Amino acid sequence: MEQKYYHMNIAGCERDLPLCPLNESLMIAGFVIFGDPELTTACAKALLDRAPEYDYLISAEAKGIPLVHEMARLAGNQKYFLARKAPKLYMTGVLEVNVRSITTAKEQKLYLDTADAAIMKGKRILIVDDVISTGESLRALEELVKTAGGEICGKMAILAEGDAQAREDLIYLEKLPLFDRNGKEL
């Protein structure tokens, strides 16, 4: 079968996203900023232009890492936080939540270092991610921030896919459609 693509302009960058089957009747456009510094920087800048006031940024491992890093760098090399997919030896303790992402086959957990949680307490936390679709990863990040005692001041993504486009609590740059098994927009 011939690979199909969806063409987009994202923060001034033209990209062709490969269509990937999610199941027998649904395809999604694969959006990956890994290895694309031009797109990462353009998206980070565009999101910062729309960001509410915040004290710290947080994202989930892994695809959010380049985005949150670049946003923090552009904002003056600020500290940011990561929700990890596994606890690390250097963590002082962990907070954990379950998450089931649309692009992951099985349920996962996200972990936040308790030392990071202590810094977040009472602070305005801006949640950022690359793509919001079902909102499950976002929900998990919200739960971690609330458990840490942080105040969620906003939720941002580069792309809103499917039902996420109708969310009034989400700031995003572009809409990303879903596709039927033939590659037609739904």
Side-chain angles (χ1 to χ4, degrees), residues 81-152:
F81 302 106
L82 287 176
R84 306 296 304 258
K85 289 183 179 177
K88 302 297 178 187
L89 292 174
Y90 56 78
M91 292 179 160
T92 58
V94 294
L95 303 177
E96 72 177 66
V97 295
N98 293 324
V99 61
R100 184 170 183 92
S101 170
I102 191 172
T103 56
T104 306
K106 60 183 172 116
E107 186 170 272
Q108 296 181 313
K109 292 184 182 295
L110 286 179
Y111 300 89
L112 182 66
D113 190 332
T114 53
D116 290 344
I119 296 169
M120 291 169 59
K121 187 173 183 168
K123 300 295 185 191
R124 297 170 298 182
I125 307 300
L126 180 58
I127 298 172
V128 297
D129 208 349
D130 62 333
V131 179
I132 303 293
S133 186
T134 63
E136 278 299 304
S137 298
L138 182 63
R139 180 206 52 80
L141 284 168
E142 288 177 275
E143 191 175 326
L144 280 174
V145 171
K146 288 177 184 174
T147 302
E151 298 172 18
I152 299 167

Side-chain angles (χ1 to χ4, degrees), residues 28-55:
I28 60 172
F31 177 74
V32 180
I33 58 176
F34 287 139
D36 193 339
E38 177 190 30
L39 181 61
T40 303
T41 299
C43 291
K45 188 170 190 205
L47 286 171
L48 283 171
D49 288 345
R50 298 180 184 186
E53 287 191 32
Y54 66 91
D55 296 309

Side-chain angles (χ1 to χ4, degrees), residues 164-179:
Q165 297 170 14
R167 290 182 65 145
E168 294 183 12
D169 66 332
L170 182 63
I171 299 166
Y172 59 90
L173 300 180
E174 300 293 337
K175 294 179 178 181
L176 182 62
L178 295 170
F179 303 86

